[in-house]
């Protein structure tokens, strides 16, 4: 039982909850429970005070997915216990606040690696399941949810439901990818992937344009374990979409003679300085001088040219630790601050393989025409998944980072609207984890009324009084409810 005093909403808990990209935020009462009883206590606080609750994991969604203006934000980052680990078959049960970083460090020395990891290891397992995240192997191993065996979900009524493909399966397929709107994960059981070394064989190569970049991915789908491309959104004409591409392979059993060494977490990290002198923690400061159209054009040209000279279309390969390969950005602390006071948004869209080339070309050209090119474009290959609010597709995604300033904010709004039209015209989809600009009418088209109705039916079943809400829910889905 929660005592009455404990149910008073305290002003001490008021905090600004900022989107990861820092381009938006709202003030909310933030609670950080560390036990299941504390977690239930926050639900009670919400009930008694007539407030709604949003859940936050690591706070790495670019937009408003975990914000809850003037309501309650329940931060899971202190629920970080590993509840069970079976190294013989790679099955692990964790609390929702366990991070990807904690997870890989726990399992790697036993010869396992999380099958799907995000580009930062600061995400939590609850956050990854809620958004059904993907990695650089999305076309091969699918999304995060495909490796979740079961989870426990605390619903608005206070009941804990165990969900799996066999038990409460309709909820299982809706909660994964359901943007934290149906309940709170209290534990999750996942299958890890067997690996035989702490190293990957990585190849870097260049491609002269968008078509070349897309072919690079398509041609390697059978053989590679990871595939990703970085594209230069400033290049025009025949060079539009010129790219640095990466593929990576696991090492086979016996290939690494020093597996015990390469799998030690201490041997996974990249160094913390550039050329042994400049601390990486100060890089963001120098990066900010290049965070404008002229500066980024220069950096992109230099990066592409260097890569063409050192690796070229033939490619160059080397061995790299898993963590260094996947979480490169984590080794440049505070890099998002280089975007300045207005922060950044990311716009990630998913296009079917048949329309992707035309669609991405239109998107790049639109940004160039409007003088709002994106500063970082990342191309990946995907496959469909079985989850209700899926963004996945048999095709490609392009993630594009845009700087937001006081001067360009209004123009960015109209740019994203025009981009939405292009994506819809090419039968594409969007991703709540990266979203800051989606409108209900667009969500209705790409998700379809039937899928939305099935989601809302479950929402009415487990949360009839709408106790669980987020800023994203109010912006995009609530108007369609
Ligand atoms: C640098 C960077 C790189 C990224 N790379 C990738 C990538 O490669 N692939 C990819 O797919 N995404 C990527 N992302 C996006 C990120 O992985 C997702 O936004 C992910 O959901 C964030 O996890 P989180 O723990 O920070 O969750 P948050 O951002 O805090 O929350 C995400 C959602 O999960 C819900 N939630 C959190 N915890 C719970 C819980 N216990 N129960 C129920 N709901 C909960 C929240 O309400 C919210 O809707 C990247 C983000 C950054 C900043």
């Amino acid at each position: 039982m929660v005592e009455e005093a404990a149910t008073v909403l305290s002003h001490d808990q008021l905090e600004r909850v900022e989107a990861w990209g820092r381009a938006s935020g709202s003030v909310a009462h933030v609670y950080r429970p560390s036990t299941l009883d504390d977690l239930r206590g926050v639900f009670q606080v919400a009930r008694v005070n007539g407030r709604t609750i949003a859940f936050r994991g690591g706070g790495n969604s670019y937009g408003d997915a975990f914000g809850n203006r003037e309501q309650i934000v329940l931060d899971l980052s202190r629920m970080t216990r590993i509840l069970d680990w079976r190294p013989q078959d790679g099955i692990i049960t964790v609390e929702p606040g366990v991070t990807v970083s904690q997870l890989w460090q726990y399992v790697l020395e036993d010869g396992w690696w999380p099958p799907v990891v995000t580009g930062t290891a600061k995400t939590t397992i609850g956050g990854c399941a809620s958004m059904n995240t993907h990695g650089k192997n999305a076309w091969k191993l699918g999304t995060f949810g495909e490796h979740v065996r079961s989870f426990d979900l605390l619903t608005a009524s206070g009941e804990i439901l165990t969900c799996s493909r066999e038990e409460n399966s309709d909820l299982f397929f809706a909660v994964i990818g359901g943007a934290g709107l149906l309940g709170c994960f209290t534990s999750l059981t996942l299958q890890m992937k067997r690996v035989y070394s702490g190293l990957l064989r990585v190849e870097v190569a260049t491609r002269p344009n968008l078509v070349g970049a897309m072919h690079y991915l398509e041609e390697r789908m059978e053989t590679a374990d990871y595939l990703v491309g970085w594209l230069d959104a400033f290049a025009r004409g025949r060079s539009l979409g010129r790219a640095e591409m990466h593929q990576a392979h696991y090492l086979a059993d016996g290939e690494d003679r020093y597996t015990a060494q390469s799998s030690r977490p201490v041997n996974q990290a990249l160094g913390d300085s550039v050329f042994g002198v400049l601390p990486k923690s100060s890089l963001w400061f120098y990066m900010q001088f290049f965070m404008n159209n002229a500066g980024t054009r220069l950096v992109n040209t230099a990066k592409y040219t260097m890569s063409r000279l050192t690796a070229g279309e033939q490619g160059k390969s080397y061995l790299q630790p898993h963590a260094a390969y996947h979480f490169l950005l984590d080794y440049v602390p505070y890099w998002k601050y280089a975007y300045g006071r207005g922060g950044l948004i990311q716009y990630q869209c998913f296009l079917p393989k048949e329309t992707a080339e035309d669609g991405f070309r239109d998107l790049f050209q639109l940004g160039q025409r409007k003088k709002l090119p994106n500063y970082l474009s990342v191309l990946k290959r995907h496959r469909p998944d079985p989850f209700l609010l899926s963004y996945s597709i048999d095709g490609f995604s392009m993630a594009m980072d845009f700087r937001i300033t006081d001067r360009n904010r209004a123009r960015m709004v109209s740019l994203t609207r025009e981009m939405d039209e292009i994506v819809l015209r090419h039968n594409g989809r969007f991703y709540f984890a990266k979203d800051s600009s989606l409108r209900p009418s667009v969500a209705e088209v790409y998700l379809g009324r039937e899928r939305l109705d099935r989601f809302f039916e479950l929402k009415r079943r487990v949360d009839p009084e709408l106790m669980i809400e987020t800023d994203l829910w109010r912006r995009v889905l609530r108007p369609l409810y």
Side-chain angles (χ1 to χ4, degrees):
M1 275 294 286
V2 184
E3 285 172 30
E4 205 178 315
T7 59
V8 175
L9 255 190
S10 156
H11 289 298
D12 288 349
Q13 243 101 13
L14 275 178
E15 278 178 34
R16 181 170 158 80
V17 177
E18 208 163 58
W20 185 87
R22 301 173 66 232
S24 63
S26 56
V27 171
H29 295 269
V30 180
Y31 286 79
R32 295 185 174 79
S34 51
T35 65
L36 188 54
D37 280 348
D38 291 350
L39 185 64
R40 286 179 184 281
V42 183
F43 273 56
Q44 183 66 3
V45 173
R47 242 174 254 122
V48 170
N49 294 280
R51 299 295 178 122
T52 66
I53 302 185
F55 311 115
R56 176 169 69 178
N60 294 286
S61 294
Y62 277 70
D64 53 2
F66 52 80
N68 199 10
R69 187 175 294 275
E70 290 166 24
Q71 302 291 320
I72 292 174
V73 168
L74 204 161
D75 182 318
L76 278 305
S77 62
R78 291 178 66 195
M79 294 194 63
T80 55
R81 284 181 307 152
I82 308 270
L83 301 172
D84 188 43
W85 168 229
R86 290 175 14 199
Q88 64 281 11
D89 50 16
I91 296 173
I92 192 159
T93 302
V94 299
E95 285 190 333
V98 164
T99 59
V100 168
S101 173
Q102 218 185 320
L103 182 64
W104 76 254
Q105 295 193 46
Y106 201 85
V107 302
L108 183 57
E109 285 183 276
D110 288 331
W112 301 89
W113 179 259
V116 172
V117 295
T118 44
T120 170
K122 295 174 185 170
T123 49
T124 63
I125 303 310
C128 288
S130 285
M131 287 304 185
N132 198 16
T133 51
H134 57 267
K136 299 177 179 80
N137 53 358
W139 89 96
K140 192 163 188 164
L141 295 190
T143 49
F144 189 89
E146 293 181 57
H147 309 277
V148 175
R149 293 169 67 103
S150 63
F151 56 78
D152 282 351
L153 186 78
L154 178 62
T155 64
S157 68
E159 188 185 9
I160 292 197
L161 295 174
T162 299
C163 303
S164 66
R165 285 168 183 76
E166 296 77 36
E167 199 177 351
N168 293 311
S169 68
D170 51 355
L171 273 176
F172 181 84
F173 288 104
V175 171
I176 292 176
L181 294 169
L182 296 176
C184 183
F185 292 113
T186 56
S187 76
L188 302 100
T189 299
L190 318 170
Q191 174 68 60
M192 297 292 102
K193 177 163 182 26
R194 175 58 88 191
V195 289
Y196 298 100
S197 167
L199 299 170
L200 290 169
R201 187 174 308 285
V202 181
E203 182 207 77
V204 54
T206 54
R207 287 296 177 269
N209 50 35
L210 177 64
V211 180
M214 292 174 71
H215 282 165
Y216 181 96
L217 300 189
E218 291 280 78
E219 284 159 5
R220 285 161 182 75
M221 285 169 66
E222 287 289 313
T223 51
D225 290 311
Y226 296 102
L227 287 169
V228 66
W230 161 87
L231 276 65
D232 178 3
F234 286 82
R236 290 165 183 265
R238 279 190 308 178
S239 299
L240 184 118
R242 64 185 177 182
E244 179 183 288
M245 308 301 297
H246 288 231
Q247 66 168 328
H249 296 88
Y250 296 116
L251 300 195
D253 194 3
E255 219 179 320
D256 179 0
R257 286 166 55 208
Y258 306 103
T259 299
Q261 297 298 332
S262 63
S263 301
R264 297 245 151 84
V266 67
N267 294 328
Q268 285 286 309
L270 283 173
D272 52 14
S273 64
V274 186
F275 306 126
V277 276
L278 186 67
K280 284 193 177 152
S281 55
S282 67
L283 263 188
W284 73 272
F285 178 81
Y286 301 100
M287 282 166 65
Q288 64 185 327
F289 300 112
F290 294 92
M291 281 297 176
N292 48 61
N293 286 0
T296 307
R297 180 196 301 274
L298 193 72
V299 170
N300 282 4
T301 302
K303 182 177 158 75
Y304 177 75
T305 309
M306 276 293 285
S307 197
R308 197 159 57 85
L309 292 175
T310 53
E313 294 202 22
Q314 285 290 16
K316 178 184 81 172
S317 64
Y318 49 91
L319 294 175
Q320 192 173 30
H322 292 265
Y325 174 73
H326 287 289
F327 313 125
L328 190 68
L329 288 172
D330 289 350
Y331 297 101
V332 186
Y334 324 117
W335 64 267
K336 65 180 174 182
Y337 294 101
Y339 277 84
R341 212 162 40 87
L344 73 151
I345 61 163
Q346 189 175 97
Y347 186 99
Q348 185 173 16
C349 57
F350 296 71
L351 297 182
K353 59 181 189 298
E354 296 78 13
T355 62
E357 188 194 317
D358 278 353
F360 293 146
R361 178 172 293 114
D362 288 355
L363 289 170
F364 274 25
Q365 286 176 340
L366 176 70
Q368 292 176 351
R369 267 202 316 279
K370 301 265 171 186
K371 300 207 176 348
L372 290 168
N374 75 84
Y375 288 1
L376 181 69
S377 325
V378 176
L379 179 70
K380 288 182 190 153
R381 187 67 169 82
H382 298 263
R383 71 178 191 197
D385 70 38
F387 300 97
L388 187 55
L389 296 189
S390 173
Y391 56 83
S392 270
I393 218 161
D394 182 8
F396 297 82
S397 73
M398 189 74 77
M400 297 171 265
D401 289 3
F402 291 93
R403 183 181 178 189
I404 302 295
T405 62
D406 291 342
R407 283 183 61 200
N408 80 5
R409 197 176 283 269
R411 286 192 299 132
M412 273 307 304
V413 171
S414 74
L415 179 77
T416 55
R417 295 199 169 169
E418 285 188 58
M419 289 167 76
D420 290 351
E421 294 309 318
I422 293 175
V423 174
L424 290 184
R425 216 169 41 242
H426 290 88
N427 294 323
R429 294 190 185 178
F430 303 87
Y431 183 23
F432 289 141
K434 308 293 184 74
D435 179 56
S436 304
S437 58
L438 210 59
R439 286 158 297 147
S441 56
V442 178
E444 191 169 27
V445 176
Y446 91 87
L447 286 167
R449 199 62 238 185
E450 195 247 327
R451 279 200 291 159
L452 280 170
D453 284 344
R454 275 164 60 203
F455 186 77
F456 293 152
E457 198 183 303
L458 289 166
K459 178 88 178 154
R460 284 188 192 99
R461 196 203 304 166
V462 292
D463 183 19
E465 279 154 27
L466 295 185
M467 190 169 108
I468 300 168
E469 293 198 332
T470 61
D471 289 340
L472 183 143
W473 158 263
R474 279 186 289 269
R475 171 169 60 86
V476 184
L477 294 175
R478 178 75 214 254
L480 302 169
Y481 183 65

mmCIF file of all heavy atoms in Angstrom, residues 199-228:
data_model
loop_
_atom_site.group_PDB
_atom_site.id
_atom_site.type_symbol
_atom_site.label_atom_id
_atom_site.label_comp_id
_atom_site.label_asym_id
_atom_site.label_seq_id
_atom_site.Cartn_x
_atom_site.Cartn_y
_atom_site.Cartn_z
ATOM 1 N N LEU A 199 35.726 -9.439 -32.316
ATOM 2 C CA LEU A 199 36.057 -8.600 -33.473
ATOM 3 C C LEU A 199 35.129 -8.871 -34.648
ATOM 4 O O LEU A 199 34.585 -9.981 -34.786
ATOM 5 C CB LEU A 199 37.498 -8.883 -33.922
ATOM 6 C CG LEU A 199 38.586 -8.591 -32.880
ATOM 7 C CD1 LEU A 199 39.924 -9.130 -33.363
ATOM 8 C CD2 LEU A 199 38.668 -7.094 -32.599
ATOM 9 N N LEU A 200 35.005 -7.871 -35.503
ATOM 10 C CA LEU A 200 34.285 -8.006 -36.774
ATOM 11 C C LEU A 200 35.280 -7.705 -37.887
ATOM 12 O O LEU A 200 36.204 -6.911 -37.705
ATOM 13 C CB LEU A 200 33.165 -6.967 -36.861
ATOM 14 C CG LEU A 200 31.958 -7.129 -35.944
ATOM 15 C CD1 LEU A 200 31.106 -5.857 -35.985
ATOM 16 C CD2 LEU A 200 31.118 -8.335 -36.368
ATOM 17 N N ARG A 201 35.065 -8.331 -39.046
ATOM 18 C CA ARG A 201 35.856 -7.947 -40.218
ATOM 19 C C ARG A 201 35.061 -6.888 -40.976
ATOM 20 O O ARG A 201 33.965 -7.139 -41.447
ATOM 21 C CB ARG A 201 36.120 -9.154 -41.114
ATOM 22 C CG ARG A 201 37.086 -8.849 -42.263
ATOM 23 C CD ARG A 201 37.441 -10.106 -43.060
ATOM 24 N NE ARG A 201 37.918 -11.197 -42.212
ATOM 25 C CZ ARG A 201 39.123 -11.269 -41.653
ATOM 26 N NH1 ARG A 201 39.992 -10.296 -41.858
ATOM 27 N NH2 ARG A 201 39.463 -12.288 -40.890
ATOM 28 N N VAL A 202 35.598 -5.676 -41.003
ATOM 29 C CA VAL A 202 34.861 -4.541 -41.574
ATOM 30 C C VAL A 202 35.501 -4.151 -42.902
ATOM 31 O O VAL A 202 36.730 -4.175 -43.032
ATOM 32 C CB VAL A 202 34.930 -3.322 -40.616
ATOM 33 C CG1 VAL A 202 34.155 -2.135 -41.180
ATOM 34 C CG2 VAL A 202 34.402 -3.695 -39.241
ATOM 35 N N GLU A 203 34.660 -3.823 -43.890
ATOM 36 C CA GLU A 203 35.194 -3.293 -45.153
ATOM 37 C C GLU A 203 34.598 -1.918 -45.398
ATOM 38 O O GLU A 203 33.391 -1.712 -45.243
ATOM 39 C CB GLU A 203 34.823 -4.198 -46.324
ATOM 40 C CG GLU A 203 35.417 -3.675 -47.628
ATOM 41 C CD GLU A 203 34.616 -4.093 -48.866
ATOM 42 O OE1 GLU A 203 33.547 -3.503 -49.123
ATOM 43 O OE2 GLU A 203 35.083 -4.993 -49.565
ATOM 44 N N VAL A 204 35.441 -0.973 -45.754
ATOM 45 C CA VAL A 204 34.943 0.341 -46.142
ATOM 46 C C VAL A 204 35.243 0.524 -47.627
ATOM 47 O O VAL A 204 36.291 0.102 -48.115
ATOM 48 C CB VAL A 204 35.563 1.460 -45.256
ATOM 49 C CG1 VAL A 204 37.058 1.410 -45.263
ATOM 50 C CG2 VAL A 204 35.100 2.837 -45.676
ATOM 51 N N ALA A 205 34.275 1.114 -48.349
ATOM 52 C CA ALA A 205 34.458 1.342 -49.796
ATOM 53 C C ALA A 205 33.624 2.555 -50.191
ATOM 54 O O ALA A 205 32.690 2.926 -49.474
ATOM 55 C CB ALA A 205 33.999 0.111 -50.583
ATOM 56 N N THR A 206 33.936 3.159 -51.307
ATOM 57 C CA THR A 206 33.122 4.301 -51.744
ATOM 58 C C THR A 206 32.267 3.909 -52.947
ATOM 59 O O THR A 206 32.584 2.961 -53.669
ATOM 60 C CB THR A 206 34.001 5.496 -52.157
ATOM 61 O OG1 THR A 206 34.933 5.063 -53.145
ATOM 62 C CG2 THR A 206 34.737 6.070 -50.968
ATOM 63 N N ARG A 207 31.191 4.660 -53.125
ATOM 64 C CA ARG A 207 30.361 4.538 -54.322
ATOM 65 C C ARG A 207 30.074 5.955 -54.808
ATOM 66 O O ARG A 207 29.870 6.866 -53.998
ATOM 67 C CB ARG A 207 29.057 3.793 -54.009
ATOM 68 C CG ARG A 207 29.251 2.299 -53.794
ATOM 69 C CD ARG A 207 29.757 1.617 -55.075
ATOM 70 N NE ARG A 207 30.026 0.186 -54.931
ATOM 71 C CZ ARG A 207 31.194 -0.348 -54.592
ATOM 72 N NH1 ARG A 207 32.235 0.441 -54.319
ATOM 73 N NH2 ARG A 207 31.361 -1.652 -54.522
ATOM 74 N N PRO A 208 30.060 6.139 -56.146
ATOM 75 C CA PRO A 208 30.039 7.517 -56.675
ATOM 76 C C PRO A 208 28.687 8.214 -56.589
ATOM 77 O O PRO A 208 28.613 9.422 -56.791
ATOM 78 C CB PRO A 208 30.444 7.333 -58.136
ATOM 79 C CG PRO A 208 30.068 5.926 -58.464
ATOM 80 C CD PRO A 208 30.170 5.144 -57.206
ATOM 81 N N ASN A 209 27.623 7.477 -56.312
ATOM 82 C CA ASN A 209 26.293 8.105 -56.267
ATOM 83 C C ASN A 209 25.280 7.201 -55.559
ATOM 84 O O ASN A 209 25.612 6.089 -55.132
ATOM 85 C CB ASN A 209 25.814 8.438 -57.686
ATOM 86 C CG ASN A 209 25.956 7.235 -58.592
ATOM 87 O OD1 ASN A 209 25.773 6.102 -58.148
ATOM 88 N ND2 ASN A 209 26.326 7.469 -59.842
ATOM 89 N N LEU A 210 24.058 7.700 -55.500
ATOM 90 C CA LEU A 210 22.973 7.005 -54.797
ATOM 91 C C LEU A 210 22.731 5.601 -55.354
ATOM 92 O O LEU A 210 22.596 4.635 -54.590
ATOM 93 C CB LEU A 210 21.695 7.861 -54.930
ATOM 94 C CG LEU A 210 20.413 7.297 -54.339
ATOM 95 C CD1 LEU A 210 20.518 7.153 -52.826
ATOM 96 C CD2 LEU A 210 19.220 8.182 -54.687
ATOM 97 N N VAL A 211 22.690 5.480 -56.677
ATOM 98 C CA VAL A 211 22.416 4.171 -57.281
ATOM 99 C C VAL A 211 23.517 3.185 -56.884
ATOM 100 O O VAL A 211 23.233 2.043 -56.493
ATOM 101 C CB VAL A 211 22.358 4.300 -58.827
ATOM 102 C CG1 VAL A 211 22.084 2.953 -59.480
ATOM 103 C CG2 VAL A 211 21.302 5.305 -59.220
ATOM 104 N N GLY A 212 24.766 3.669 -56.933
ATOM 105 C CA GLY A 212 25.887 2.808 -56.550
ATOM 106 C C GLY A 212 25.773 2.377 -55.090
ATOM 107 O O GLY A 212 26.026 1.219 -54.748
ATOM 108 N N ALA A 213 25.358 3.311 -54.243
ATOM 109 C CA ALA A 213 25.232 3.001 -52.812
ATOM 110 C C ALA A 213 24.148 1.946 -52.580
ATOM 111 O O ALA A 213 24.336 0.998 -51.803
ATOM 112 C CB ALA A 213 24.911 4.284 -52.045
ATOM 113 N N MET A 214 23.034 2.094 -53.283
ATOM 114 C CA MET A 214 21.942 1.135 -53.090
ATOM 115 C C MET A 214 22.326 -0.243 -53.628
ATOM 116 O O MET A 214 22.034 -1.271 -53.008
ATOM 117 C CB MET A 214 20.668 1.668 -53.747
ATOM 118 C CG MET A 214 20.167 2.905 -53.004
ATOM 119 S SD MET A 214 18.782 3.716 -53.790
ATOM 120 C CE MET A 214 17.496 2.560 -53.482
ATOM 121 N N HIS A 215 23.024 -0.267 -54.773
ATOM 122 C CA HIS A 215 23.481 -1.558 -55.317
ATOM 123 C C HIS A 215 24.459 -2.226 -54.368
ATOM 124 O O HIS A 215 24.433 -3.436 -54.189
ATOM 125 C CB HIS A 215 24.135 -1.363 -56.687
ATOM 126 C CG HIS A 215 23.126 -1.184 -57.769
ATOM 127 N ND1 HIS A 215 23.430 -0.701 -59.016
ATOM 128 C CD2 HIS A 215 21.788 -1.401 -57.788
ATOM 129 C CE1 HIS A 215 22.333 -0.645 -59.746
ATOM 130 N NE2 HIS A 215 21.323 -1.047 -59.014
ATOM 131 N N TYR A 216 25.326 -1.433 -53.741
ATOM 132 C CA TYR A 216 26.304 -1.988 -52.797
ATOM 133 C C TYR A 216 25.566 -2.816 -51.726
ATOM 134 O O TYR A 216 25.966 -3.929 -51.392
ATOM 135 C CB TYR A 216 27.092 -0.846 -52.142
ATOM 136 C CG TYR A 216 28.150 -1.294 -51.164
ATOM 137 C CD1 TYR A 216 29.479 -1.426 -51.565
ATOM 138 C CD2 TYR A 216 27.831 -1.577 -49.832
ATOM 139 C CE1 TYR A 216 30.460 -1.830 -50.673
ATOM 140 C CE2 TYR A 216 28.798 -1.988 -48.934
ATOM 141 C CZ TYR A 216 30.114 -2.106 -49.355
ATOM 142 O OH TYR A 216 31.086 -2.519 -48.456
ATOM 143 N N LEU A 217 24.476 -2.240 -51.198
ATOM 144 C CA LEU A 217 23.728 -2.956 -50.159
ATOM 145 C C LEU A 217 23.054 -4.200 -50.750
ATOM 146 O O LEU A 217 23.148 -5.300 -50.192
ATOM 147 C CB LEU A 217 22.676 -2.049 -49.521
ATOM 148 C CG LEU A 217 23.159 -0.767 -48.827
ATOM 149 C CD1 LEU A 217 22.010 -0.112 -48.056
ATOM 150 C CD2 LEU A 217 24.305 -1.029 -47.862
ATOM 151 N N GLU A 218 22.361 -4.033 -51.872
ATOM 152 C CA GLU A 218 21.616 -5.142 -52.473
ATOM 153 C C GLU A 218 22.536 -6.330 -52.791
ATOM 154 O O GLU A 218 22.193 -7.474 -52.530
ATOM 155 C CB GLU A 218 20.949 -4.687 -53.782
ATOM 156 C CG GLU A 218 19.815 -3.704 -53.611
ATOM 157 C CD GLU A 218 18.507 -4.367 -53.217
ATOM 158 O OE1 GLU A 218 18.370 -4.712 -52.030
ATOM 159 O OE2 GLU A 218 17.635 -4.501 -54.084
ATOM 160 N N GLU A 219 23.709 -6.015 -53.341
ATOM 161 C CA GLU A 219 24.612 -7.092 -53.787
ATOM 162 C C GLU A 219 25.199 -7.880 -52.616
ATOM 163 O O GLU A 219 25.690 -8.983 -52.810
ATOM 164 C CB GLU A 219 25.777 -6.474 -54.592
ATOM 165 C CG GLU A 219 25.365 -6.054 -55.994
ATOM 166 C CD GLU A 219 26.327 -5.020 -56.571
ATOM 167 O OE1 GLU A 219 27.354 -4.705 -55.922
ATOM 168 O OE2 GLU A 219 26.018 -4.506 -57.669
ATOM 169 N N ARG A 220 25.183 -7.316 -51.423
ATOM 170 C CA ARG A 220 25.818 -7.977 -50.281
ATOM 171 C C ARG A 220 24.822 -8.560 -49.281
ATOM 172 O O ARG A 220 25.215 -9.052 -48.233
ATOM 173 C CB ARG A 220 26.759 -6.987 -49.566
ATOM 174 C CG ARG A 220 28.031 -6.755 -50.349
ATOM 175 C CD ARG A 220 28.772 -5.508 -49.973
ATOM 176 N NE ARG A 220 29.955 -5.338 -50.816
ATOM 177 C CZ ARG A 220 29.910 -4.942 -52.099
ATOM 178 N NH1 ARG A 220 28.743 -4.657 -52.656
ATOM 179 N NH2 ARG A 220 31.009 -4.856 -52.820
ATOM 180 N N MET A 221 23.539 -8.513 -49.616
ATOM 181 C CA MET A 221 22.535 -8.979 -48.653
ATOM 182 C C MET A 221 22.691 -10.466 -48.310
ATOM 183 O O MET A 221 22.394 -10.893 -47.209
ATOM 184 C CB MET A 221 21.128 -8.710 -49.190
ATOM 185 C CG MET A 221 20.741 -7.252 -49.095
ATOM 186 S SD MET A 221 19.238 -6.885 -49.989
ATOM 187 C CE MET A 221 18.013 -7.806 -49.069
ATOM 188 N N GLU A 222 23.171 -11.251 -49.265
ATOM 189 C CA GLU A 222 23.327 -12.692 -49.033
ATOM 190 C C GLU A 222 24.509 -12.983 -48.116
ATOM 191 O O GLU A 222 24.456 -13.922 -47.332
ATOM 192 C CB GLU A 222 23.598 -13.402 -50.372
ATOM 193 C CG GLU A 222 22.374 -13.505 -51.265
ATOM 194 C CD GLU A 222 21.378 -14.497 -50.723
ATOM 195 O OE1 GLU A 222 21.818 -15.596 -50.350
ATOM 196 O OE2 GLU A 222 20.186 -14.145 -50.635
ATOM 197 N N THR A 223 25.561 -12.178 -48.250
ATOM 198 C CA THR A 223 26.825 -12.561 -47.610
ATOM 199 C C THR A 223 27.180 -11.775 -46.357
ATOM 200 O O THR A 223 27.799 -12.313 -45.438
ATOM 201 C CB THR A 223 27.981 -12.384 -48.621
ATOM 202 O OG1 THR A 223 27.885 -11.049 -49.159
ATOM 203 C CG2 THR A 223 27.889 -13.391 -49.757
ATOM 204 N N ALA A 224 26.823 -10.488 -46.306
ATOM 205 C CA ALA A 224 27.292 -9.652 -45.188
ATOM 206 C C ALA A 224 26.464 -9.898 -43.932
ATOM 207 O O ALA A 224 25.330 -10.395 -43.987
ATOM 208 C CB ALA A 224 27.210 -8.189 -45.580
ATOM 209 N N ASP A 225 27.038 -9.534 -42.775
ATOM 210 C CA ASP A 225 26.270 -9.563 -41.523
ATOM 211 C C ASP A 225 25.760 -8.176 -41.157
ATOM 212 O O ASP A 225 24.728 -8.050 -40.495
ATOM 213 C CB ASP A 225 27.140 -10.130 -40.396
ATOM 214 C CG ASP A 225 27.384 -11.614 -40.597
ATOM 215 O OD1 ASP A 225 26.398 -12.332 -40.829
ATOM 216 O OD2 ASP A 225 28.551 -12.046 -40.580
ATOM 217 N N TYR A 226 26.492 -7.145 -41.540
ATOM 218 C CA TYR A 226 26.036 -5.761 -41.297
ATOM 219 C C TYR A 226 26.311 -4.940 -42.558
ATOM 220 O O TYR A 226 27.347 -5.130 -43.211
ATOM 221 C CB TYR A 226 26.805 -5.120 -40.134
ATOM 222 C CG TYR A 226 26.586 -5.801 -38.801
ATOM 223 C CD1 TYR A 226 27.542 -6.661 -38.268
ATOM 224 C CD2 TYR A 226 25.413 -5.576 -38.079
ATOM 225 C CE1 TYR A 226 27.337 -7.292 -37.047
ATOM 226 C CE2 TYR A 226 25.212 -6.200 -36.859
ATOM 227 C CZ TYR A 226 26.166 -7.055 -36.347
ATOM 228 O OH TYR A 226 25.965 -7.673 -35.143
ATOM 229 N N LEU A 227 25.398 -4.005 -42.854
ATOM 230 C CA LEU A 227 25.554 -3.138 -44.023
ATOM 231 C C LEU A 227 25.036 -1.744 -43.692
ATOM 232 O O LEU A 227 23.958 -1.608 -43.117
ATOM 233 C CB LEU A 227 24.720 -3.666 -45.195
ATOM 234 C CG LEU A 227 25.209 -4.920 -45.911
ATOM 235 C CD1 LEU A 227 24.122 -5.444 -46.854
ATOM 236 C CD2 LEU A 227 26.497 -4.638 -46.686
ATOM 237 N N VAL A 228 25.784 -0.739 -44.084
ATOM 238 C CA VAL A 228 25.321 0.629 -43.846
ATOM 239 C C VAL A 228 26.072 1.569 -44.787
ATOM 240 O O VAL A 228 27.188 1.263 -45.220
ATOM 241 C CB VAL A 228 25.534 1.031 -42.359
ATOM 242 C CG1 VAL A 228 27.004 1.115 -41.989
ATOM 243 C CG2 VAL A 228 24.829 2.340 -41.999
#
